[in-house]
Structures are given as structure tokens and as C-alpha cells.
Amino acid sequence: MAAFKLKFVSKFMKQKIKIGIFFGGHSREREVSFAGGRTVYDNLNKTVFEPVPIFVDSFGHFCLLRWEYIYKGSIRDFYPTPAMPHGEYAESKALQSVSQQQELLQSLGTIVAPHELHQHIDFAFLCLHGTHGEDGRIQGLLAYHGIPYSGSGILSSAIGMNKIIQKQLMKSHGFESVPYTTISRQEWLEPGNQQYAFEHINHEVGFPCVVKAANQGSSIGISILADATIQNFTDAIDKALFIHRIDIQKFKILDHNAQLQYLKRICDIREGIGLPVVAGPSNGVLYSMAQLHAHLLAASGIVTLSAIDAESQVLVESFIEGKEFSCIVIATEQGIPIALPPTEIRKGKELFDYRSKYLPGLSRKITPIDLPDPQLQSIRTACEKLFSNLHFDVYARIDGFITPSGAVLLNDPNTTSGMMPSSFFFHQAAEIGLNPSQFLTFIIRSSVAARMVEFKNYHTLPVLLAQLDAAIHLLQTNQSNKTKVAVLLGGYSSERHISVESGRNIFEKLSSSEKYAPVPVFVSGTQSGHALHTIPIHLLLKDNADDIKEKILHYAVHPIIATIRDQCQSITQKYAGTAAIAAPAAISYEQLAEQVQQAFIALHGRPGEDGQVQNQLELVGISYNGSRQSSSAITIDKYKTNELLKANGFLVADHAVYTHQDWAANKTAFYQQVISKFSYPFIIKPVDDGCSSAVKKIKNIDQLQAYCELVFRTGDVLDPQHVATLQLKAKEEFPAKTRILVESLITGNGANHFLEITGGMLTRYDSQGQIVYEVFESSEALSEGDVLSLEEKFLAGQGQNITPARYHTNPQTRQHISNYVRDQLMKAAQVLQVEGYCRIDAFVRIYNEQHIEVVFIEVNSLPGMTPATCIFHQTAINGYKPLDFIDLILTYGQQRSLHLPAANPLPTSSIKP
């Protein structure tokens, strides 16, 4: 019997199941969709599945996307090519014919007609959002062609998209609701109706209230109105309908750059109304920002702009005082809905906006929501009931509030969840012991079973289901053959949240591989020493490093989570095995060496980039990625790096280090000293932090004083006046330091072309055992502010990196310049004795083909490895997928460990047991 079963399993495992991942689209959430598609692409188990990326463009065409484009930071980085100015999307090209539209796609991959999809995929995993993505239309198209797809069916998808229909159906099924009403676009635009609508809302709904676009997600088009003022109300309704009114007189007073910045905000598809726009009163269509700018300069009075895909209805509902939550509901193989532990979204009356949702370290999510068990269970019961009442399948994300009186108010069921690495989708599945790769396998298997019933297909889909079950069974038997890798993440610097994002990305990519079995290890501590803890998957997927640390220190299994784990036991055992859930455990380096063969250090700042961790790993014989202790100790210190590079003939900014002691001794003299050495504007940054943490362009004495007061503070609280002076964003990390680095502002200095670049590289051993550097094409970093922001580096779809960098319009000249720049980066890395891999940031001045200057900014020995980091754009050009790149990094570390001399132990007091 066992032999027969093995033969049956091996028969189905000969060919991998082709999973078409649909992402992109033309909705305002396309960048979230793009990032979610990349997450699914990376996390699909490579033993079972073959991921097939299917990019849906701005015009609705399907393209079998070449894999390297998946690792761009934004859709705008590769589509259209060349990139549009001002961050515009392809629809700004105003292409009317299908042939013109498809011509844009031809260089990205293979265009596929809907009826041809079955030739390329066995299953469709839907990561699309918004119109044509989660409203039942793509589901209907796939169903027509007999292709099984993920998630809910056609009808429930359409319901899950429309907030107004949801309200009506929920009310008919007996769910509690707050007062609400709707305003149609036509009603709103009728002359004189704004005052009437304001009075109607004040009477029927009252203030405070929430204004929502009827068919949007990711908090797009939403406002919270605390005060009953007609102006705020008008602005909120306009925002939800994607209307913008411009006072031309005020617009023309702005200088040219201020006008462009204003228009960029208007044209942003997330925060503004996007492009194309319809401009009143002529109602002409303007496709690009240049057309819009020219139109406004020629206009007078008030110009009303409307998005061409504007909303037709707005939902206005009473503001709910209570705790906000989000709950993933899954269906068992028997179709029974189970609500996973609901997550509280910690905030005041401000929005849980796009930035807070997707930027590492900003959000605060509590799982499960902090409530008595009966109230927690009432939330779960309500979510499960709604899941059934609205005929959802497979999974859904249901949002809501619980009031101080205990009333559960559900307000936004979604049939497609965001699939970013830290999304609720993966966050809550981890609580039952499923890592992202395992949860995706569960979703696929459940979806095939649901489509089998929906399609009435009892021929091909049962075969696919049997193939899946055979593969899932085999996965459980192959884990012991994999190489165990400790993924070290966290730390205690201001970069700890980005480190968690990097480590999580490394863990997930290794988890889906056929070669590696990763073990997440959280690092905590202070300058005096650090400690290690192995952590389970549900802690790894917490929002940020502080959440993980708090859970380690006060670990306990909530009774409701214990109940849910019991309910999901059969799911967890099938997809993750019996040992899927464990408590965090303190571990020494010696004990770690007994569990793993290799380590991937995903730490940024201290410890990690300073050599402490590398030293300890060498002592216990664990190979690791990146540079050795001696090199790391130099590159962590920007001053030492600058000095060493300058001494070897490389160009760096004029620089000086100043200390807290210098400042505290005589502040007035300190400021005069800095100003006399560095003329405004200049750059101030911490000596040993990265990720744009506290990097500021100082333009006047007020900013200099504010910066020093904040960075040299002795407490944790940031003075609000200094925060305002430096224009820090909400929850922006600003570390307290004892040393700062002041640098002269690097400018173009009369060059014909001036750009900021970041370049990655990889080292390997040649046949003689010598280190060889492979330097990748650099990325051109585009910044909207004074310096690259955290959002531009790490927030999905926010920043724009052009890879390869645009040194010149002539391809041959561009390559000549690129070769020179790469040679300079390699020589700098050799001087600093960088090994394994690294990222170097620099400015490039191009006077002519023979006169090129590379001015170095910093060297990162453990660069960020978040999903959208530009080093993955660069490695893709050389043919390396991220997992290939990670494998090469680990392989180098393993080979190096065979030749390393014994490490010099650090003082025992610096390492906590």
C-alpha cells in the first residue's frame, strides 16, 4: 500500500502546477496589487508550483511578464518604457488604439488574449484590487474560460466591492449599523446642492462623520470630519468623488517649482485624483501633467478637475467611537467559516492611511484585539455569519468596530485582501502556525475545491485537486533534507523595523525554496550587549521590531487564539506539520550552532553592521553573509569610511564629526563653528545609522538648532516645536545620538548631468581562491524632497528607481560611463575590504565622456533586503532572481568559512547570555 501511495504521489509531482499571478491593473491600488503579486510570486512553494506573472496593464491587457520586472520598486519603473515624467502612468500617453496600447507591452513579455490563458496556467491567483480586479469581472472572465481562480466567486466579489450595497445587505441580514446616507455625483454637482447636502448630512448622520468613496480600498478617498464646517465637508465629498477645485489666482502666485509640486500631489493616484482628468468648464480631457499645467496657466477663476474614472457615489456614515479591527475569515475543506484572531488597529481619530498601512514600523496592530473573551468571540461570530450571509468563498477580510457598549459594527467586507508581507492576510494566518508559503498553498487548494463546485467541473479540476493533495503530502517528508539557516533580524538601532522587513523577506524566500529551511532569530539589546531568541512564525509576522520584542518578554498564548488553533488543527497539520507553533526561546551562539549550518544577518545598524555578530558567529563556526568584523567596523562609521576613501583618492563631501559634549559645552559657539565651516544648505546625519534615519538638509539656524536639540536629547520625547521646524512626518523615527556627521551639500558643480545612484555588488571565489567582484548596474534614485525618504526607499509604489541609471541618452556613451562608475565602486569596496555583497550610495557628475566624477555618500555592508529594494532590480539584469542572489551570498559565506582564521573574541561583558 505504501509503495502504491509513493508511486501515486511521484506521478503527480513530475510536473509543477502553473500558477498565474494576476497583478497591476488600472485601479488606484495598482501599486499595492503589484507589491502583493510580488509577494505571492516569491512565496509560492517552488517544489509544487511554477509561478507565472501576469501583469494587467493600464488598458486591461494581459502580459506574461518577464520575471525581472517583478522586482522593480514601482510599476512606473518599467511601464511604460521609457519612464513618464513626474511619475505618470501609461494612461497619460492617451493611446486610443489597441495596437498602440499593446506596443507598450511588447518589450515586457508576451501579450496573451483571455482565451489563450489556459495554455499558460492551471490556476489564477488574483492579486488585483479595485475595479476589474475584485468586483467580479475578472472572476467572470476566468470562469467563462474554465480557469479556476483564488478567493470568492462572481456575485460575492461584486458585493464585496461596493460599500453601499454591502450596507443594504448587511442591514437586511440583521447586522447592526450606524446612521448613513449616500450622495450621488450627479446630485453633488447640481448648482446649490452642496449647502443642501451639508444640512442633510448634519441632520441624518451628524458630525463627526466618515466620508468614503463607494468603490475604493487602501483608505483612498476617505476623510474623517470632526467639525461641521461647510468647507471641510465640501473638500471631503470632492475628495471621495475625485474632484479638485483650483483657484487660478492663488495657483499663479506660486513659483514654477511650487506649481509643479502642487500638481504632482493632485495627479497622485493615491492621494490626489490621478490622470487623465476632465477640466471644466470645457470638459476637455487632459492626459499629462504638462497639459494640465498649460491649461491652468491659460485659465482664470475656479477650475474644476475630475478624474476620468471618478466615483459615482459617496457613502457618509457616523464616526464610530470604539476599537477598530480587521479579521480574516477562512473556510475549511468542509466549507465551514472560521474567523482567525481579529486584529486591532491602534490609532486615534486619524486615518489608518496608505503610509501607515504599508511602511514598516509605522502601524500598530494588536492581535487579538484587547477585549474580554466574550467580546472577542462576538466579533468572530459576527464575521463568520457575514461570510456565510454574503456567500463568500475560501477567505475574506472583514473590517469593523466594537463600541464601548460591546456592539459589533461590521463595515467593510473584502473578498481580496492586501498581500504585502505584513498584511492582515499573512499576519493572522501565522497565529495558527502557517507561514506565507503554507498559507498560499492552503488558499490555492481551497479555491480549486470551491471552483469545482461553482463550475460544476468534475473532470479536470478533481485531477488538479488530487495533484495538489499529493504534493502537499510529499512536502511534509522533505523538510529534513534542507539546509538550516538562521535569519537574524531586529537589533536596537533606528533601523530595527527595516531589519525586520528585510529578515522577513529573506525568511519567506528561503521558506519557499527547495534547498533551505530558515529559522528566524530575533536580536535585541543595547550598546552594552545583545541577546538572541528563536521566534515562531506568528511573532516574525508582527508589525515591527518593538512588537516582537514585547511579545518575547511577555509571551503568552491568548485563550481565544488557543481555541482557534484547536479549530484549525487539521489545517495546520496538513500544511505545516505538528511542530508549527512554538514559544520564543533564548538561545546562545553555541546553541545556535547546534541547530543551523549557516546564518543570514538581516540586521542593519548596530549590532550587525558593526561586526559584533560576525565575530560571535565565527567563534562558533557558523558561516554568514556579508563582510567580516574588521571591514564592518569601518563601514558602520560614515566618518571613518569617508576618511579612508578620501585618503585613497576617492571623492567625498567635506565632512566633520561633532559630539554631544561639543554642543552642550557652549551651544552658541557650537553653532557658529558649524556655520563657519559649512555654508547653508548642508547635510546632517547620524554617524552610524542608515535608512534615511535623521538625515536632514539644513537651510537655516532654526533648523540647525532644532536638529541638535532633538538628536542630542537625553529623553525619548520629541519636542513638538522642533519636530515642526524640521517638518518630521508622523511617527518618523529620530534617534538620539552622541555623535553627528556634518557634510557639505553635494551639488552638480557645473556638470552637464548630475544624478544620485545606488550600486550593488557581489563577491565570489575564482578557481584560484581569489575574491572576484561582480558589480551590478547602478540604479538612479529619484527623490521628491531634499533627501531620499524612508517612504521612497521602502514604501510600495512610492519611490522611483530607474535601473540601469540614465547616465546618457546615447547607449554606447551610457555604457562607457556606467563601466567607469562601476569600476570606481569596485575599487572603493576593495579599499574597504567589503566581502559577500554590499550597496554603495554616491552622486555622479558627468561633464563629458572623459570627465566623470563619483562622489561617495556611504557604504552599506548589509544592505536592505526588503521586497522592493533596488538591489534586486540590479541583480535581475544579471539574471539572478532574488532567491538566486541570496543563494550566492550564502554560498560565498560558506566557502569563506573554510579559509577563515580564528576570530578574535570580543570582551565577554559585551555579549549577553
Side-chain angles (χ1 to χ4, degrees):
M1 185 69 182
F4 173 78
K5 188 173 184 179
L6 186 60
K7 184 178 180 182
F8 178 79
V9 169
S10 61
K11 172 187 174 183
F12 280 113
M13 288 300 292
K14 285 181 180 177
Q15 191 170 4
K16 295 181 181 181
I17 299 168
K18 295 180 180 179
I19 306 295
I21 304 167
F22 289 71
F23 60 97
H26 67 262
S27 83
R28 295 170 185 274
E29 300 173 83
R30 69 188 74 174
E31 294 291 1
V32 176
S33 169
F34 175 61
R38 175 173 54 230
T39 303
V40 174
Y41 183 88
D42 279 340
N43 281 282
L44 284 177
N45 192 295
K46 305 306 184 294
T47 305
V48 181
F49 304 115
E50 179 186 339
V52 180
I54 299 179
F55 174 62
V56 184
D57 76 351
S58 298
F59 308 104
H61 305 301
F62 298 142
C63 177
L64 298 178
L65 193 70
R66 297 215 313 265
W67 67 264
E68 56 264 35
Y69 292 114
I70 289 178
Y71 297 105
K72 297 293 185 180
S74 161
I75 291 172
R76 295 170 300 173
D77 290 350
F78 67 92
Y79 175 74
T81 300
M84 299 285 287
H86 311 300
E88 296 167 0
Y89 288 89
E91 52 265 42
S92 290
K93 281 187 170 290
L95 303 177
Q96 303 301 321
S97 72
V98 171
S99 60
Q100 286 178 317
Q101 294 167 4
Q102 291 185 340
E103 192 174 334
L104 286 181
L105 277 178
Q106 288 177 355
S107 63
L108 304 181
T110 303
I111 299 169
V112 179
H115 70 274
E116 298 173 321
L117 286 169
H118 73 276
Q119 300 173 20
H120 303 279
I121 63 175
D122 302 309
F123 178 89
F125 201 107
L126 301 179
C127 298
L128 295 165
H129 294 285
T131 306
H132 299 288
E134 52 183 314
D135 58 0
R137 301 186 201 191
I138 186 72
Q139 290 84 356
L141 182 146
L142 291 166
Y144 181 80
H145 291 288
I147 299 173
Y149 55 85
S150 61
S152 285
I154 300 167
L155 177 61
S156 48
S157 294
I159 294 170
M161 184 66 192
N162 190 298
K163 294 178 175 64
I164 296 172
I165 297 296
Q166 291 168 9
K167 285 281 186 187
Q168 295 168 351
L169 287 173
M170 289 162 66
K171 188 174 181 180
S172 70
H173 283 289
F175 289 90
E176 291 192 59
S177 177
V178 296
Y180 73 92
T181 190
T182 62
I183 300 174
S184 74
R185 182 183 190 81
Q186 185 176 355
E187 291 170 340
W188 179 247
L189 294 178
E190 287 290 331
N193 269 13
Q194 278 124 29
Q195 181 65 39
Y196 170 78
F198 174 70
E199 292 171 358
H200 174 72
I201 295 299
N202 203 8
H203 181 265
E204 295 294 326
V205 176
F207 290 86
C209 65
V210 182
V211 180
K212 299 177 179 179
N215 294 283
Q216 299 294 328
S218 295
S219 299
I220 292 171
I222 187 170
S223 301
I224 295 177
L225 295 180
D227 304 317
T229 64
I230 183 68
Q231 185 59 57
N232 290 344
F233 176 74
T234 300
D235 291 344
I237 301 296
D238 279 351
K239 179 181 177 181
L241 290 171
F242 301 106
I243 296 170
H244 191 86
R245 305 171 201 265
I246 300 178
D247 186 325
I248 295 301
Q249 185 177 359
K250 293 180 179 178
F251 178 77
K252 289 182 178 178
I253 292 173
L254 302 173
D255 64 36
H256 180 74
N257 286 333
Q259 288 178 355
L260 291 182
Q261 290 303 315
Y262 176 75
L263 293 182
K264 286 181 80 169
R265 290 193 295 272
I266 293 173
C267 297
D268 186 280
I269 61 172
R270 298 173 298 272
E271 303 297 331
I273 63 175
L275 287 168
V277 295
V278 178
S282 63
N283 291 331
V285 179
L286 304 173
Y287 290 91
S288 68
M289 208 172 92
Q291 290 178 345
L292 175 58
H293 193 200
H295 177 86
L296 295 178
L297 291 177
S300 60
I302 303 295
V303 172
T304 301
L305 304 176
S306 300
I308 203 166
D309 60 346
E311 286 281 345
S312 59
Q313 279 190 306
V314 171
L315 175 69
V316 185
E317 60 185 4
S318 293
F319 179 82
I320 303 170
E321 290 285 358
K323 293 188 175 184
E324 186 174 2
F325 63 82
S326 189
C327 184
I328 299 292
V329 181
I330 59 175
T332 67
E333 290 187 6
Q334 292 74 37
I336 300 170
I338 297 179
L340 298 181
T343 298
E344 179 185 356
I345 305 163
R346 282 279 173 93
K347 63 184 184 66
K349 289 189 178 181
E350 74 278 6
L351 287 175
F352 183 51
D353 60 11
Y354 187 91
R355 179 173 179 263
S356 296
K357 280 185 177 180
Y358 301 118
L359 185 62
L362 289 191
S363 60
R364 179 71 170 146
K365 306 184 191 121
I366 308 299
T367 305
I369 187 170
D370 186 16
L371 289 169
D373 290 2
Q375 290 188 332
L376 265 173
Q377 189 55 48
S378 68
I379 291 173
R380 296 186 63 231
T381 300
C383 291
E384 291 168 354
K385 179 186 174 186
L386 186 61
F387 186 93
S388 298
N389 287 164
L390 297 187
H391 305 285
F392 288 170
D393 294 319
V394 185
Y395 81 95
R397 194 195 82 231
I398 299 174
D399 300 336
F401 290 84
I402 184 164
T403 67
S405 65
V408 177
L409 301 169
L410 305 182
N411 68 347
D412 194 9
N414 295 270
T415 55
T416 299
S417 173
M419 294 188 186
M420 303 278 275
S422 59
S423 69
F424 297 114
F425 183 75
F426 296 121
H427 179 93
Q428 293 179 17
E431 293 292 346
I432 64 169
L434 299 185
N435 68 35
S437 180
Q438 293 158 351
F439 192 46
L440 290 175
T441 302
F442 165 76
I443 293 296
I444 292 169
R445 200 269 178 202
S446 300
S447 297
V448 171
R451 299 294 86 81
M452 195 164 69
V453 175
E454 179 188 353
F455 293 1
K456 305 296 187 290
N457 182 323
Y458 300 103
H459 302 288
T460 59
L461 292 188
V463 175
L464 182 60
L465 199 62
Q467 185 179 356
L468 268 168
D469 284 337
I472 292 165
H473 172 78
L474 194 61
L475 283 175
Q476 298 301 321
T477 66
N478 287 343
Q479 288 301 310
S480 60
N481 299 326
K482 295 185 176 183
T483 301
K484 287 188 169 59
V485 179
V487 180
L488 280 66
L489 65 151
Y492 48 77
S493 78
S494 62
E495 302 175 73
R496 64 195 180 280
H497 304 312
I498 301 301
S499 168
V500 167
E501 190 81 354
S502 288
R504 193 156 49 204
N505 186 43
I506 296 298
F507 174 88
E508 291 172 356
K509 285 180 170 60
L510 295 178
S511 292
S512 68
S513 74
E514 300 179 75
K515 180 177 178 181
Y516 295 104
V519 177
V521 179
F522 186 76
V523 181
S524 60
T526 64
Q527 292 283 3
S528 62
H530 64 271
L532 309 179
H533 286 83
T534 56
I535 57 173
I537 185 65
H538 60 285
L539 292 197
L540 177 63
L541 266 68
K542 295 298 178 187
D543 279 321
N544 55 58
D546 296 342
D547 279 354
I548 296 173
K549 182 178 179 180
E550 191 274 334
K551 292 294 183 185
I552 290 173
L553 293 175
H554 307 100
Y555 185 75
V557 178
H558 194 284
I560 289 293
I561 290 183
T563 298
I564 296 169
R565 288 176 181 174
D566 287 341
Q567 291 177 318
C568 296
Q569 189 174 30
S570 62
I571 295 172
T572 304
Q573 287 184 346
K574 179 171 181 175
Y575 294 90
T578 55
I581 304 168
I587 190 171
S588 67
Y589 280 97
E590 290 77 11
Q591 291 168 328
L592 187 65
E594 295 173 2
Q595 295 187 20
V596 304
Q597 290 84 50
Q598 297 179 257
F600 195 104
I601 308 170
L603 298 162
H604 307 310
R606 298 180 187 272
E609 284 193 274
D610 59 356
Q612 291 185 56
V613 172
Q614 291 86 338
N615 190 287
Q616 295 301 310
L617 291 172
E618 287 182 27
L619 284 172
V620 297
I622 300 176
S623 65
Y624 58 86
N625 57 306
S627 295
R628 294 195 64 190
Q629 186 272 336
S630 55
S631 175
S632 299
I634 294 173
T635 55
I636 186 70
D637 189 310
K638 296 182 179 69
Y639 177 75
K640 288 181 180 178
T641 301
N642 281 352
E643 287 289 285
L644 184 55
L645 289 176
K646 183 179 179 181
N648 282 273
F650 295 96
L651 295 177
V652 297
D654 291 336
H655 56 276
V657 167
Y658 297 95
T659 69
H660 179 275
Q661 187 176 0
D662 299 332
W663 173 75
N666 188 327
K667 294 182 183 180
T668 302
F670 177 88
Y671 297 137
Q672 290 175 345
Q673 181 184 359
V674 173
I675 294 168
S676 64
K677 183 174 177 60
F678 299 93
S679 58
Y680 295 121
F682 52 81
I683 300 293
I684 301 186
K685 62 180 75 169
V687 175
D688 60 352
D689 258 318
C691 296
S692 299
S693 177
V695 179
K696 295 296 173 184
K697 182 179 179 180
I698 303 300
K699 304 172 185 176
N700 53 55
I701 184 63
D702 291 339
Q703 291 182 345
L704 176 59
Q705 290 174 338
Y707 188 99
C708 292
E709 291 287 349
L710 290 182
V711 80
F712 290 139
R713 71 188 187 278
T714 54
D716 295 328
V717 179
L718 300 181
D719 184 284
Q721 184 175 343
H722 300 323
V723 168
T725 300
L726 292 178
Q727 298 180 331
L728 301 185
K729 296 183 178 71
K731 301 179 184 177
E732 182 175 339
E733 190 96 12
F734 202 98
K737 294 288 182 180
T738 58
R739 294 193 308 153
I740 57 172
L741 181 67
V742 181
E743 296 179 332
S744 59
L745 182 69
I746 302 171
T747 65
N749 199 30
N752 293 324
H753 190 34
F754 176 64
L755 66 163
E756 184 176 357
I757 60 117
T758 180
M761 63 186 71
L762 178 72
T763 66
R764 67 179 79 235
Y765 289 107
D766 64 15
S767 57
Q768 282 76 45
Q770 298 298 310
I771 297 176
V772 177
Y773 285 77
E774 181 179 3
V775 185
F776 305 120
E777 285 284 357
S778 296
S779 300
E780 177 183 350
L782 305 183
S783 172
E784 293 189 2
D786 294 328
V787 296
L788 274 174
S789 67
L790 196 67
E791 289 91 333
E792 288 170 319
K793 286 185 175 182
F794 301 109
L795 181 55
Q798 187 73 24
Q800 199 170 359
N801 291 283
I802 307 299
T803 311
R806 300 171 297 183
Y807 297 117
H808 202 277
T809 55
N810 179 280
Q812 288 76 30
T813 304
R814 195 220 72 82
Q815 194 58 54
H816 166 77
I817 296 169
S818 173
N819 292 343
Y820 175 82
V821 172
R822 289 157 69 192
D823 182 65
Q824 288 291 295
L825 299 186
M826 181 185 71
K827 288 176 179 176
Q830 290 172 326
V831 164
L832 296 166
Q833 297 183 5
V834 169
E835 291 181 64
Y837 68 120
C838 78
R839 193 194 78 228
I840 299 179
D841 299 334
F843 284 98
V844 178
R845 298 183 185 123
I846 303 167
Y847 295 91
N848 55 56
E849 189 175 344
Q850 303 304 320
H851 185 186
I852 305 154
E853 293 179 349
V854 180
V855 187
F856 288 82
I857 305 172
E858 65 176 303
V859 177
N860 295 274
S861 63
L862 293 174
M865 298 289 272
T866 60
T869 185
C870 59
I871 201 166
F872 290 139
H873 316 173
Q874 299 165 17
T875 60
I877 293 176
N878 285 30
Y880 306 134
K881 293 181 179 179
L883 184 56
D884 301 329
F885 181 49
I886 295 165
D887 181 44
L888 288 170
I889 291 169
L890 287 170
T891 299
Y892 177 86
Q894 187 180 40
Q895 292 173 343
R896 177 180 57 190
S897 67
L898 302 176
H899 314 108
L900 281 178
N904 295 318
L906 294 176
T908 54
S909 61
S910 68
I911 302 297
K912 291 183 179 179

